[in-house]
Amino acid sequence: MTFSHLFEADVVVCGGGPAGIAAALAAGRSGAKTLLVERYGFIGGMSTAALVYPWMTFHTAEGKQVIKGIGQEIVDRLMAVNASPGHVRDTVGFVHTITPFNPEVFKVLIPQMLEEAGVTLLLHSFANRVQVQDGRIEALEVATKTGTCLVRGGIFIDATGDADIAYMAGAPCLQGRDNDHLTQPMTMKFRMRGVNLAKVKQYMLDHPDEFYKKTPFDELEQLPLSGVLGYYKHWKEAALPINRDQVLFFTGPAEDEVLVNTTRVQGLDGTNVVDLTTAEQLGRKQAFMVADFMRTSLPGFENASLAQTGAQIGVRESRRIDGQYALQADDVIAGRRFEDVIARSGYPIDIHDPSGKGVTAAWVQGDGAYDIPYRSLLPKKIVNLLAAGRCISTSHEALATTRLTPSCMATGQAAGTAAGLAIAGGCLPAGVDVKQLQAILTGQGGVLLD
């Protein structure tokens, strides 16, 4: 086969979402020649393409920050250009803090940071074949507008969210829950403008029984409204054909704007092109249905209108690697510590039912955070591959916390740092000195041992 272009790098990162961004920054800063391959014409993955807003959460339920490093650096850089207020209280009450940001500024900022780190960015590029020899990835075949390009590398990082590289390389992968392989539903998020948020907040204060029981009503009058979960009565009366039991939205970035997370597309496979096509269409139909309901039924939305749907539907869960260690629900709930910890998280297990209406939640015990071990980034059979973000090795239940953006940033930073160490030391990812990796991550601001 003739290839239109040849790209070569020490570290090749596939997927330019939060995990891939952090991985590429960490690898590039290590001195490794790094290439980041992204299918869209912009960076950000689910944070931009699917309007996953705000980021949840860098903190434990008690407010202790357990994710810092590159993730916090990105927040700081956004704050410096007035594109994020930083970490604010979650007025939904599900977690302690959330982190709003301006996705359009994010699209511009991240390429600047990648350039500063010496990372080469290749947009409009989709890996569609993996060349493997004796359990080692030799190259990716990448479809582009220029034709099929060949990308050679030493270490590869799968930050596709769907474990595409691992799957195509022949690494064992899992999908969905054990009994039926169904995944958490997909959601088409959308923005509405013209919302009277003062009226929304007053309605909440006047009707607390219609909203989520953990909403911090004792502080709500003084807190900036950041998110809302409820309107149970209105939703039940509307009887929309969407298998959900409440309305969820978050405020901003503009003062009259909300991001709605209420549609629900179930029973479809985010790695199957036919299912994904169907999901996109169903999701957009639901978005307009929900927006019309909100405008006609919810106090504060009388003059609101739908302003934007995501460039793609949001995918909570698809494939994940079956790695050297699969993080379990018990590990999360117990706040378990691991000797090979490379990241921590305080986000609870948050399973949107694959087939029912509800959401199953379980909070982290102990000090409020759990460890993610390095072994969960290492696939089986493919020796020069690391996973980062949504496709690391977990159970279906544990994925419901590791899939959140700050956790993805943290595992991405760990994968990129490990790849840089492997290149510098002339070894494979499994041969990286974990103590050295932990020391570097801690030196970069990572929170591992607190």
Side-chain angles (χ1 to χ4, degrees):
M1 182 176 181
T2 302
F3 298 99
S4 61
H5 284 78
L6 171 65
F7 295 90
E8 295 184 282
D10 297 323
V11 178
V12 177
V13 181
C14 293
I21 290 165
L25 287 171
R29 290 171 179 178
S30 77
K33 183 180 179 182
T34 303
L35 175 68
L36 175 56
V37 180
E38 165 56 38
R39 63 176 172 170
Y40 286 118
F42 54 89
I43 211 75
M46 289 288 146
S47 288
T48 51
L51 303 181
V52 174
Y53 170 98
W55 293 327
M56 302 173 68
T57 175
F58 289 76
H59 295 77
T60 67
E62 300 302 318
K64 179 182 178 181
Q65 187 166 353
V66 291
I67 298 175
K68 295 183 180 178
I70 287 175
Q72 182 59 48
E73 180 187 348
I74 290 171
V75 174
D76 292 341
R77 293 281 293 263
L78 288 166
M79 291 176 68
V81 291
N82 297 314
S84 173
H87 310 303
V88 301
R89 282 292 305 278
D90 173 24
T91 56
V92 166
F94 190 72
V95 292
H96 190 78
T97 69
I98 57 178
T99 311
F101 64 99
N102 187 316
E104 298 308 313
V105 177
F106 184 73
K107 290 177 186 176
V108 177
L109 171 66
I110 296 302
Q112 292 174 356
M113 293 181 68
L114 292 169
E115 184 177 6
E116 292 165 8
V119 176
T120 299
L121 179 60
L122 191 63
L123 299 175
H124 296 290
S125 302
F126 191 101
N128 62 359
R129 189 168 181 268
V130 180
Q131 296 183 3
V132 179
Q133 183 69 37
D134 298 325
R136 189 183 189 111
I137 297 175
E138 294 188 333
L140 308 179
E141 295 179 18
V142 177
T144 76
K145 290 289 289 184
T146 320
T148 301
C149 301
L150 191 68
V151 176
R152 290 184 179 146
I155 305 293
F156 293 81
I157 298 176
D158 189 334
T160 62
D162 301 320
D164 288 337
I165 307 305
Y167 178 76
M168 288 188 285
C173 293
L174 300 171
Q175 186 160 333
R177 55 192 184 188
D178 292 339
N179 61 328
D180 56 13
H181 306 296
L182 288 179
T183 59
Q184 293 190 62
M186 291 179 264
T187 290
M188 178 59 72
K189 296 193 177 185
F190 63 93
R191 295 189 180 281
M192 295 189 77
R193 298 296 302 270
V195 183
N196 185 336
L197 290 173
K199 189 171 183 179
V200 170
K201 187 174 184 178
Q202 190 58 53
Y203 187 83
M204 293 175 69
L205 291 167
D206 294 341
H207 303 84
D209 57 316
E210 294 184 26
F211 296 89
Y212 182 49
K213 62 183 179 181
K214 288 195 171 186
T215 301
F217 284 106
D218 55 339
E219 304 173 72
L220 188 59
E221 201 155 356
Q222 290 74 40
L223 288 173
L225 189 65
S226 61
V228 177
L229 174 62
Y231 289 107
Y232 299 117
K233 177 175 71 72
H234 297 82
W235 182 260
K236 185 176 181 180
E237 289 173 353
L240 297 180
I242 297 172
N243 208 15
R244 192 158 186 164
D245 54 8
Q246 78 280 314
V247 176
L248 172 63
F249 60 83
F250 296 93
T251 65
E255 292 182 357
D256 68 337
E257 182 177 8
V258 300
L259 187 286
V260 184
N261 180 352
T262 299
T263 71
R264 180 172 276 190
V265 177
Q266 294 172 305
L268 298 176
D269 179 356
T271 67
N272 179 298
V273 68
V274 175
D275 278 9
L276 199 53
T277 299
T278 300
E280 296 282 4
Q281 297 174 78
L282 286 174
R284 291 182 207 283
K285 288 179 181 177
Q286 287 188 12
F288 276 87
M289 186 187 306
V290 173
D292 185 61
F293 151 74
M294 294 175 77
R295 183 181 58 80
T296 58
S297 302
L298 302 188
F301 285 83
E302 293 86 353
N303 298 313
S305 61
L306 190 152
Q308 179 192 10
T309 59
Q312 75 150 84
I313 197 165
V315 181
R316 290 183 176 87
E317 178 183 12
S318 56
R319 276 190 302 257
R320 61 191 187 276
I321 66 164
D322 181 10
Q324 300 297 332
Y325 181 79
L327 189 74
Q328 301 296 310
D330 288 348
D331 297 332
V332 172
I333 295 169
R336 189 152 293 139
R337 308 306 303 258
F338 292 95
E339 288 189 5
D340 60 338
V341 53
I342 46 77
R344 306 198 77 207
S345 176
Y347 191 83
I349 289 176
D350 172 26
I351 305 175
H352 291 246
D353 199 303
S355 52
K357 284 188 176 184
V359 174
T360 300
W363 275 263
V364 185
Q365 306 301 313
D367 68 355
Y370 64 90
D371 287 359
I372 300 174
Y374 182 53
R375 288 165 293 159
S376 293
L377 277 56
L378 299 175
K380 298 173 182 174
K381 295 189 178 181
I382 305 301
V383 296
N384 63 334
L385 178 65
L386 287 149
R390 203 175 71 224
C391 57
I392 67 170
S393 182
T394 70
S395 67
H396 163 73
E397 294 78 13
L399 174 67
T401 164
T402 60
R403 66 181 174 84
L404 274 294
T405 303
S407 303
C408 290
M409 289 177 173
T411 57
Q413 181 174 355
T417 304
L421 277 174
I423 292 297
C427 66
L428 295 169
V432 165
D433 183 334
V434 175
K435 295 298 182 186
Q436 185 182 9
L437 173 60
Q438 292 170 333
I440 293 172
L441 291 171
T442 301
Q444 295 171 346
V447 181
L448 303 183
L449 304 176
D450 288 4

